[in-house]
Amino acid sequence: MGAGLTSFDCNTHTTREINSWLRQHSDASVLGETLSVVLLNPDSRHNLGVGLVKPLKILIEGPVGYYCAGLCDGIEVEIAGGAGWGLAENLMGGKVVLHGSAGSAAGATMRGGLVVIHGDAGARCGVAMKGGTLLVTGDVGVMSSFMMQKGALIIGGDADHALGDSLYEGKIYLRGEAASLGADARIAELNANDVAFLSGTFLQAGVDFSPDDFKKVESARRLYNFDTKEKEIWKQAL
Amino acid sequence: MPIDDRQPSRIWDESSIHDIQEKARLGRYRIRAFSTSRALPTLEDLTFIPSGLTRVPLEGYRETCSTEITLGGRFAGKPLKLKTPITIAGMSYGALSRNAKEALGLGASAAGTSTCTGDGGMHPTDREYSQTLVYQCLPSRYGFNPHDVMRADAIEIVVGQGAKPGTGGLLLGQKVSPEIAGMRDLPDGVDQRSPCRHPDWMGPEDLAIKIEELREATDWQKPIYVKLGAARVYEDVKLAAKAGADCVVVDGMEGGTAASPDVLLDHTGIPTLAAICEAARALEDMGLTGEVQLIACGGIKSGVDAAKALALGADAVAIGTAAIIALNCNAPLWLEDYEAMGTRAGACHHCHTGRCPVGVATQDPELVKRLNVQEAAERVENFLHAMTLEMQIMARACGKSHVGNLDRDDLRALTLESALVTGIPLAGMRQPLVPQHVASLMGAL
């Protein structure tokens, strides 16, 4: 993986030096000629590849810590290992692929782009998403997609309790079962647009799923505005 | 006890009866804006003890008394350099009108100080009108994005706010206009109830990593503040400082809001007076006084309040409600519109309705037009200037050539309560009250 590409050994550098090196390469990338680089020995270091807003392809050969590829736009990151909390948080655009499992809050508040986790994701994955697509091939933890506003979470496995609590206009596509749905979430049938979206995303992500195996979770929109006639819902709502 | 048929009960007074009947009508907690209406120990309960024979004052109207301050120099490569230690607190576009935000930016810039985005992201004119702009990173992350992080001059991670510590923001549907909804990625007209926990970190150990992320994303150039609603201030300030904050903002329970459940306004948090003292003591105990800077806010109304805050240990203050009052909030204009809401100028706390008669806290285009940006900006600049002059007067009277040199020895407490809260000697005493004194006083009673 990444043979022949420009590489940087995390073992012998500070986080600031690693990110400065990435930023230099990101700045050097020009439209149509995105540079590719490799990070070696990440050793679960936090905050690798954060705040990059110009194109760059990064291969990370090992596990990463918190917030890898956070606060980025237009980058492509592939990680050969697991990730800590907040993988690709607030991603604006681009693609992040994880070959391993992610800790809590993967894809939190992301606003664009595609994040693919070839494994499981912890609690609150896709929390407060505002756009983009988060695809988890395995299971997801409790309260995933809490207060998700826009975008899509695709779950290849099962979901723990309170899936989709307090959803707004985001969509969840679930292949397995949810231990429970969160406040104001409901199961809905897929429509033609959903099927087309899922098919295209599976193709882009290179995963072998069929849209026919998925159901949709969406907001029932009963929490959008205060209503004195819905007292029981408001007692449960967060 | 004889019964007076015309006299309300002291227990079931008219206010309590109205409160119960309102909740019986609404079926939920009541919501209002502004700030707590409780009587609290405040900075008003302190007085300066200026120079006499023991100290020499500076000439009150002539001699130099500096007000400049640099904020965020602990770790940031580009700390903020302000001409006055009075800054504008975070107030969102959504809670306030676009005209109000622009006027705050222009007025603060003219006065040489910073403004703050508040919730809901950075509107292009926030950046355009504010020379020095602090960008809030809130639990909601509405509109938050790396491009604006780069454009900001400092970043403020909001853990809580004084008006409602422990609870997220609230913006009722009547103020969630299509533009506001678009900026926040929300459906039009939704009752926006913001989260109170950050989506990607939980405790102080995580916060340290989050701060490092923001530093890495900004190449360690931008100051990072952590804003706390005043509750367990001593512990929270220590944790924020340990997590790596450049500045800690402590917002007392007098802090304002454009919408909140009223029970939170009146029954959560601790007063600004107490919060400043706890925060200053926390930094002192860590040996970080001056290195981690303290910004105090919550009910600061004047330059005298600001000077007292600095004397108690703050490095700077932030004003929110006072700034919007300078814009025209509660001004005696359009009186019939106040009356239509069941209130009057000087007593209005109806920002949450979106029907602000003076165009400050509304998204109604016709009401917004009532606030002239240039005139309002001049009032904000004037008010900041007046506050700064008041601070200088106090500092000079105490013989200080920089407002930041004011200290606790310049103060005395006017009430037993404030003496106990602050540890400042009661007027007429030379030493702070200690528990033995209190026990003795209680015994005497």
Side-chain angles (χ1 to χ4, degrees):
Chain A
M1 188 174 173
L5 297 176
T6 306
S7 65
F8 202 71
D9 190 347
C10 299
N11 252 345
T12 53
H13 294 87
T14 66
T15 305
R16 191 173 181 186
E17 288 168 340
I18 298 165
N19 283 322
S20 292
W21 183 82
L22 291 172
R23 196 168 293 112
Q24 284 167 18
H25 285 77
S26 174
D27 288 344
S29 285
V30 292
L31 203 60
E33 194 183 335
T34 302
L35 296 179
S36 298
V37 298
V38 181
L39 290 185
L40 304 170
N41 302 310
D43 200 20
S44 300
R45 182 87 64 99
H46 300 313
N47 294 320
L48 293 179
V50 299
L52 299 170
V53 292
K54 294 176 185 169
L56 185 66
K57 289 182 182 174
I58 309 170
L59 301 176
I60 302 180
E61 296 201 330
V64 295
Y66 278 38
Y67 307 132
C68 181
L71 290 167
C72 287
D73 193 2
I75 57 162
E76 291 183 47
V77 180
E78 190 164 0
I79 303 156
W85 283 34
L87 172 73
E89 67 90 13
N90 219 123
L91 183 73
M92 303 293 291
K95 185 176 178 183
V96 175
V97 178
L98 183 77
H99 297 282
S101 290
S104 294
T109 75
M110 58 186 284
R111 298 181 65 185
L114 173 65
V115 176
V116 183
I117 296 172
H118 293 283
D120 300 327
R124 301 184 312 282
C125 81
V127 57
M129 279 176 68
K130 294 153 189 8
T133 301
L134 172 60
L135 193 166
V136 182
T137 63
D139 301 336
V140 299
V142 67
M143 289 190 85
S144 286
S145 283
F146 173 60
M147 292 189 79
M148 179 190 193
Q149 296 166 232
K150 288 180 180 171
L153 169 64
I154 304 170
I155 305 163
D158 297 327
D160 206 336
H161 285 286
L163 177 67
D165 196 296
S166 303
L167 276 174
Y168 288 103
E169 296 298 294
K171 300 287 185 290
I172 302 169
Y173 300 96
L174 176 64
R175 185 160 173 253
E177 298 300 324
S180 67
L181 296 180
D184 203 35
R186 68 180 180 193
I187 301 289
E189 295 296 316
L190 296 189
N191 59 33
N193 288 339
D194 295 320
V195 171
F197 166 73
L198 287 173
S199 298
T201 304
F202 296 154
L203 194 65
Q204 190 184 359
V207 296
D208 188 22
F209 287 144
S210 166
D212 296 340
D213 298 332
F214 284 79
K215 50 186 164 286
K216 183 166 67 175
V217 178
E218 64 178 17
S219 171
R221 301 179 182 176
R222 292 178 301 172
L223 295 178
Y224 277 24
N225 295 96
F226 283 111
D227 185 345
T228 56
K229 295 184 179 68
E230 302 273 17
K231 292 184 180 65
E232 288 307 310
I233 296 169
W234 280 98
K235 270 200 294 188
Q236 292 165 23
L238 296 171
Chain B
M1 187 174 176
I3 294 174
D4 180 342
D5 289 340
R6 309 267 319 159
Q7 192 66 36
S9 162
R10 288 175 194 271
I11 298 169
W12 303 101
D13 59 16
E14 288 173 89
S15 170
S16 302
I17 290 168
H18 178 66
D19 186 55
I20 290 167
Q21 291 175 344
E22 273 296 285
K23 283 183 275 197
R25 182 178 69 82
L26 292 166
R28 60 163 168 78
Y29 43 79
R30 296 173 71 189
I31 293 172
R32 66 176 166 84
F34 227 45
S35 65
T36 182
S37 56
R38 294 181 68 133
L40 300 169
T42 71
L43 293 160
E44 294 274 335
D45 298 332
L46 302 177
T47 186
F48 281 105
I49 47 170
S51 308
L53 288 177
T54 55
R55 299 180 186 196
V56 180
L58 300 187
E59 286 294 342
Y61 308 104
R62 296 178 183 82
E63 281 189 273
T64 300
C65 178
S66 302
T67 59
E68 289 86 3
I69 185 162
T70 300
L71 289 174
R74 184 188 190 192
F75 293 121
K78 292 181 181 169
L80 306 188
K81 294 185 184 301
L82 307 179
K83 290 180 181 170
T84 175
I86 304 161
T87 66
I88 303 294
M91 292 176 280
S92 75
Y93 171 42
L96 301 189
S97 67
R98 191 68 252 140
N99 286 14
K101 288 290 287 178
E102 290 175 5
L104 288 173
L106 286 171
S109 297
T113 193
S114 62
T115 62
C116 181
T117 57
D119 200 355
M122 184 190 293
H123 190 278
T125 59
D126 283 340
R127 183 63 281 183
E128 182 184 348
Y129 286 71
S130 293
Q131 194 174 338
T132 306
L133 181 62
V134 180
Y135 186 31
Q136 282 194 333
C137 175
L138 293 112
S140 71
R141 307 286 168 87
Y142 294 138
F144 196 74
N145 74 78
H147 302 286
D148 289 339
V149 167
M150 315 296 173
R151 276 192 280 268
D153 298 300
I155 298 155
E156 181 173 290
I157 300 173
V158 178
V159 177
Q161 65 179 114
K164 45 183 184 288
T167 307
L170 189 60
L171 190 69
L172 297 183
Q174 51 265 42
K175 293 175 82 171
V176 183
S177 67
E179 188 186 22
I180 302 294
M183 282 182 69
R184 299 180 185 213
D185 293 298
L186 288 168
D188 293 359
V190 75
D191 287 332
Q192 175 220 295
R193 295 160 295 122
S194 301
C196 60
R197 289 194 304 264
H198 277 263
D200 53 356
W201 62 272
M202 283 284 181
E205 303 297 329
D206 296 343
L207 173 60
I209 306 170
K210 187 69 193 175
I211 288 174
E212 185 193 48
E213 183 201 18
L214 290 165
R215 292 209 188 276
E216 289 292 327
T218 57
D219 198 22
W220 290 73
Q221 298 301 303
K222 322 246 179 200
I224 297 186
Y225 302 0
V226 173
K227 179 175 181 177
L228 304 165
R232 293 173 180 83
V233 177
Y234 182 83
E235 292 82 3
D236 285 348
V237 166
K238 278 190 159 186
L239 291 168
K242 184 167 179 271
D246 292 304
C247 301
V248 181
V249 183
V250 176
D251 191 12
M253 75 182 287
E254 300 96 314
T257 176
S260 172
D262 68 345
V263 288
L264 293 171
L265 288 172
D266 290 337
H267 301 281
T268 61
I270 65 169
T272 300
L273 181 71
I276 297 170
C277 296
E278 277 201 62
R281 192 161 62 245
L283 295 176
E284 187 180 339
D285 288 352
M286 294 180 84
L288 290 174
T289 300
E291 184 176 340
V292 175
Q293 290 163 299
L294 175 62
I295 302 173
C297 51
I300 289 176
K301 300 190 289 286
S302 67
V304 180
D305 280 354
K308 289 174 182 172
L310 264 59
L312 288 174
D315 295 281
V317 300
I319 58 168
T321 304
I324 66 166
I325 289 172
L327 286 175
N328 250 357
C329 165
N330 268 292
L333 305 164
W334 311 95
L335 298 179
E336 66 282 7
D337 289 352
Y338 286 106
E339 284 174 23
M341 290 191 292
T343 185
R344 62 179 176 82
C348 183
H349 51 258
H350 291 53
C351 316
H352 61 293
T353 66
R355 294 163 60 197
C356 176
V358 291
V360 171
T362 179
Q363 302 305 321
D364 181 323
E366 292 305 313
L367 296 174
V368 173
K369 282 181 196 168
R370 296 178 179 180
L371 187 70
N372 180 291
V373 173
Q374 293 299 329
E375 291 172 6
E378 190 175 343
R379 288 194 293 275
V380 170
E381 181 192 358
N382 286 346
F383 180 60
L384 288 166
H385 190 55
M387 282 186 74
T388 304
L389 290 175
E390 287 177 341
M391 292 184 82
Q392 288 176 307
I393 285 174
M394 291 300 158
R396 287 194 189 100
C398 294
K400 306 294 170 71
S401 60
H402 194 294
V403 293
N405 293 339
L406 288 165
D407 61 37
R408 293 168 62 88
D409 285 344
D410 297 315
L411 294 171
R412 285 292 182 272
L414 293 172
T415 64
L416 190 58
E417 193 174 52
S418 62
L420 290 169
V421 166
T422 61
I424 298 287
L426 191 62
M429 298 181 74
R430 297 179 61 220
Q431 300 296 326
L433 289 170
V434 294
Q436 292 91 319
H437 288 129
V438 180
S440 168
L441 283 167
M442 296 303 285
L445 292 174

